[in-house]
Amino acid sequence: MLDTTPLLDVQDLTVAFGNHQQSTEVVHHINFHIQHGEKIALVGESGSGKTVTALSILRLHDVNQVVFPSGHILFAGQNLLQLSEAKLRKVRGKDIAMIFQEPMTSLNPVYPIGTQLMEPLILHEGLSKKAAKQRMLDLLEHTGIEEPHKRFWVYPHMLSGGQRQRVMIAMALACRPKLLIADEPTTALDVTIQLQIIELLEKMQAEFGMAILMITHDLNMVRRFAERICVMQHGHIVEQATVGQLFDQPKHEYTQHLLNSQPERMQTDYDYASNEQPLLAGKNIRCHFATQRGLFFKHTTNQIKAVDNVDLQLFPGETLGIVGESGSGKTTLGMCLLKLQACSGEIHFGNQRIDRVRNRALRPLRRYFQVVFQDPYSSLSPRMTIEQIVGEGLQVHFPRLNRKARRGKIIKVLKEVGLTEDMLWRYPHEFSGGQRQRIAVARVIILEPKLILLDEPTSALDVSVQKQVLELLQTLQQKHNISYLFISHDLKVIRAISHRIIVMRHGEFVEYGETEKLFTHPQHSYTQSLLHASLFAAN
């Protein structure tokens, strides 16, 4: 008779932070199960309780800061919440393994990866170092690490993001677990690497027969990978269904909200005939970095071509998207065009050639080309209030404004980006990610720029917040006729916001054209591979 007992059965689980006398519930009476060999996804926005739930399965929270007011977590017939720490250690890594979101912070930077890879085999299976090393070399090769014997003793910082994630997968699979928990395993990776990691997990899952719990906010990836989906909101599971049912007939309004938050085409066709004069033009832009070695770095060993002989034009009120994988030269090109990175070639801003202009003479022009960075939290000073952050540029570029006029302008801009006057005296840590990005936009909009470089401005945001920021940027563009250089590896975002797109690889343009034409009829094989890797076929 077929055993239908779930491998993992979470019953009425409540998780609270604090102690038994005073605590705050963050996960409320949730129920879900995972069958042997099943792939399910736990989806929801930041703060929904996904990771808290996953960490609770292995009890990885600080024992002095977490309580479980109700519930059971049954794994292979035993309640994990009632196991002693000693017994739980035998489960962790052996029967249930976990891949964390950021491998660079999960791997110990002071030990070679080989030492960290062998540890679970030595602890759980009692293998000798020689046997453990051979097992992990075979597994590294299985996970796609080239020449694993050469990389076995390197340190985490010496590997790429994709390689580090493969190492984490190999470590998690070392003891052939029955359940693998993958917490946002592809968030920080390029689209081609994302697809490779997903395909690798599918391959390993089929070979080892293990179940996988995928935690993510990427609905496109969920549709490609999972069999069932649990949707979380504010610590509650609001809907559970198969992938087909949930995407075709979502029942809960929050699920419908998530599905409707996917970026859609916002721009209309741009009338290039009416704008003969580009706002920004670059010709033969080159930025090469020399790698050096030897005492006092006297010897040049190699030239890295970050940007190589690039030509482009950006017109008033246009959004030019720049896509490509990490290391393709996207951000370097943007920094070169705004004179924030040394380079050669001609750069024209309006009627003025600025590549020859020195810093002092360039300073008055800087208010006209501004930058919004990827992570608003690290780009906003934690010691300054919002009034000080947004108004800082006014003191440089509008010195004649008195304090009252300056505050009035700050309040006006805050309202324009969807914020309120009562936020003036608060600090960045008091805001959500989407609000911080609105503050970053307000900081540049207040200077009335003609051009804004947007470097991955939505990559750290949830899908619904991402859509709000894109709509805000489009509204501001239409109102003020601002031009955008929009850098991203998210092809859905680029398609939604851009009039034209540049595809970069190894510092060069491989394709350049109007957005819909490029998406529907990509010419270059690299563009085709990016579109395939972004899982567009799933839509």
Side-chain angles (χ1 to χ4, degrees):
M1 185 175 178
L2 186 65
D3 183 12
T4 58
T5 304
L7 174 66
L8 180 78
D9 193 5
V10 177
Q11 302 175 357
D12 193 39
L13 178 65
T14 299
V15 185
F17 290 127
N19 53 48
H20 289 285
Q21 286 72 41
Q22 185 175 7
S23 61
T24 302
E25 290 188 6
V26 291
V27 172
H28 315 281
H29 304 284
I30 64 170
N31 296 272
F32 71 94
H33 68 273
I34 305 173
Q35 297 290 350
H36 292 264
E38 188 179 22
K39 296 180 293 186
I40 84 163
L42 200 57
V43 304
E45 296 178 292
S46 298
S48 62
K50 307 186 301 295
T51 298
V52 170
T53 300
L55 294 176
S56 298
I57 293 171
L58 286 171
R59 282 170 43 197
L60 293 175
H61 299 294
D62 184 344
V63 294
N64 298 316
Q65 296 294 326
V66 67
V67 292
F68 300 97
S70 70
H72 305 279
I73 301 177
L74 303 178
F75 177 78
Q78 56 185 346
N79 187 357
L80 298 180
L81 294 181
Q82 295 178 349
L83 290 186
S84 66
E85 185 63 25
K87 290 183 178 179
L88 196 59
R89 277 199 296 268
K90 295 180 180 180
V91 175
R92 294 177 184 143
K94 187 177 188 300
D95 294 322
I96 304 177
M98 188 162 183
I99 302 171
F100 296 95
Q101 181 169 353
E102 177 46 65
M104 192 60 188
T105 57
S106 304
L107 294 169
N108 194 318
V110 301
Y111 290 108
I113 63 166
T115 302
Q116 302 178 63
L117 286 166
M118 292 188 295
E119 184 178 18
L121 290 173
I122 294 171
L123 288 175
H124 291 296
E125 298 190 11
L127 296 186
S128 66
K129 286 187 177 181
K130 183 178 179 180
K133 178 181 178 182
Q134 188 56 53
R135 170 91 70 88
M136 293 314 302
L137 283 172
D138 293 342
L139 197 49
L140 283 176
E141 186 175 9
H142 212 47
T143 56
I145 295 287
E146 297 180 0
E147 300 180 304
H149 59 285
K150 291 185 178 180
R151 291 181 165 82
F152 200 73
W153 297 116
V154 304
Y155 291 87
H157 72 272
M158 302 168 73
L159 300 174
S160 69
Q163 288 173 327
R164 285 194 292 266
Q165 197 62 285
R166 289 172 189 272
V167 167
M168 289 294 297
I169 292 172
M171 188 185 301
L173 299 180
C175 298
R176 295 180 172 252
K178 297 174 183 176
L179 172 64
L180 177 66
I181 302 172
D183 187 5
E184 299 276 10
T186 63
T187 297
L189 304 177
D190 293 318
V191 286
T192 52
I193 306 299
Q194 285 181 4
L195 181 59
Q196 291 171 19
I197 296 300
I198 290 301
E199 290 176 341
L200 173 61
L201 287 173
E202 289 178 325
K203 177 185 174 184
M204 297 291 99
Q205 187 260 348
E207 184 171 332
F208 293 173
M210 62 185 174
I212 297 181
L213 173 61
M214 175 76 73
I215 298 166
T216 184
H217 64 266
D218 189 338
L219 294 176
N220 203 25
M221 184 180 70
V222 166
R223 193 171 195 175
R224 166 72 166 77
F225 179 80
E227 297 165 357
R228 283 193 302 119
I229 300 176
C230 301
V231 182
M232 288 197 74
Q233 182 191 26
H234 303 320
H236 298 273
I237 291 182
V238 297
E239 186 166 358
Q240 296 189 50
T242 64
V243 169
Q245 290 172 339
L246 189 132
F247 277 87
D248 293 339
Q249 296 179 324
K251 295 180 179 179
H252 197 274
E253 60 181 6
Y254 178 68
T255 308
Q256 296 168 3
H257 165 73
L258 286 180
L259 294 175
N260 292 332
S261 295
Q262 297 297 305
E264 298 176 351
R265 182 83 175 136
M266 298 177 178
Q267 300 288 18
T268 56
D269 292 338
Y270 187 89
D271 184 11
Y272 293 100
S274 64
N275 282 292
E276 298 180 2
Q277 175 73 36
L279 174 67
L280 178 72
K283 184 176 181 181
N284 296 326
I285 305 299
R286 300 177 69 209
C287 181
H288 294 183
F289 298 107
T291 56
Q292 298 175 315
R293 64 175 177 81
L295 188 62
F296 303 118
F297 303 101
K298 290 182 178 180
H299 306 290
T300 299
T301 60
N302 195 17
Q303 285 277 344
I304 299 174
K305 297 180 179 180
V307 178
D308 197 33
N309 292 324
V310 163
D311 297 345
L312 64 74
Q313 291 183 329
L314 174 66
F315 290 89
E318 182 193 18
T319 299
L320 180 60
I322 306 177
V323 300
E325 296 176 290
S326 297
S328 61
K330 308 185 300 295
T331 298
T332 303
L333 174 61
M335 295 294 120
C336 288
L337 292 169
L338 270 57
K339 291 285 289 176
L340 296 171
Q341 169 66 52
C343 65
S344 62
E346 295 183 18
I347 305 172
H348 296 264
F349 186 77
N351 295 318
Q352 188 170 359
R353 182 172 175 179
I354 63 172
D355 56 279
R356 295 175 177 175
V357 178
R358 295 187 179 274
N359 287 338
R360 185 180 293 273
L362 189 64
R363 198 168 296 155
L365 290 174
R366 287 221 174 268
R367 61 164 280 211
Y368 296 111
F369 39 89
Q370 292 289 308
V371 185
V372 174
F373 295 98
Q374 179 173 355
D375 182 4
Y377 193 69
S378 61
S379 62
L380 302 176
S381 173
R383 298 185 177 185
M384 297 172 67
T385 65
I386 302 311
E387 180 179 17
Q388 292 170 330
I389 290 171
V390 176
E392 186 177 21
L394 294 178
Q395 298 179 38
V396 177
H397 296 291
F398 296 85
R400 296 182 180 179
L401 290 178
N402 59 33
R403 185 174 181 179
K404 182 179 179 181
R406 193 160 56 241
R407 175 169 289 180
K409 194 173 179 68
I410 293 169
I411 292 171
K412 181 181 177 182
V413 166
L414 286 179
K415 290 179 179 179
E416 193 172 3
V417 300
L419 301 175
T420 56
E421 182 178 347
D422 63 350
M423 297 177 177
L424 283 174
W425 300 279
R426 292 164 63 184
Y427 291 85
H429 72 273
E430 301 178 69
F431 295 90
S432 68
Q435 288 174 321
R436 284 196 290 263
Q437 199 60 289
R438 288 174 184 270
I439 293 165
V441 171
R443 180 174 60 177
V444 302
I445 290 294
I446 200 167
L447 299 179
E448 302 170 12
K450 296 180 179 179
L451 165 66
I452 300 177
L453 171 64
L454 298 146
D455 189 3
E456 300 274 11
T458 62
S459 64
L461 305 177
D462 290 317
V463 287
S464 60
V465 181
Q466 187 181 78
K467 187 173 182 180
Q468 293 170 16
V469 171
L470 291 177
E471 290 172 346
L472 169 65
L473 291 172
Q474 187 197 26
T475 300
L476 293 172
Q477 182 177 56
Q478 293 174 344
K479 183 176 180 179
H480 302 290
N481 198 37
I482 306 170
S483 299
Y484 294 145
L485 271 176
F486 199 107
I487 297 171
S488 180
H489 68 266
D490 189 328
L491 296 183
K492 279 192 171 183
V493 168
I494 283 289
R495 187 177 194 175
I497 198 72
S498 302
H499 293 100
R500 287 182 300 154
I501 295 176
I502 294 167
V503 182
M504 287 192 74
R505 188 185 191 192
H506 303 322
E508 299 179 343
F509 290 179
V510 298
E511 195 157 353
Y512 187 13
E514 294 185 17
T515 298
E516 284 307 301
K517 184 177 180 181
L518 188 141
F519 270 82
T520 54
H521 298 95
Q523 301 299 309
H524 197 277
S525 59
Y526 178 67
T527 309
Q528 294 167 1
S529 70
L530 285 180
L531 292 174
H532 170 70
S534 68
L535 310 182
F536 265 79
N539 290 335

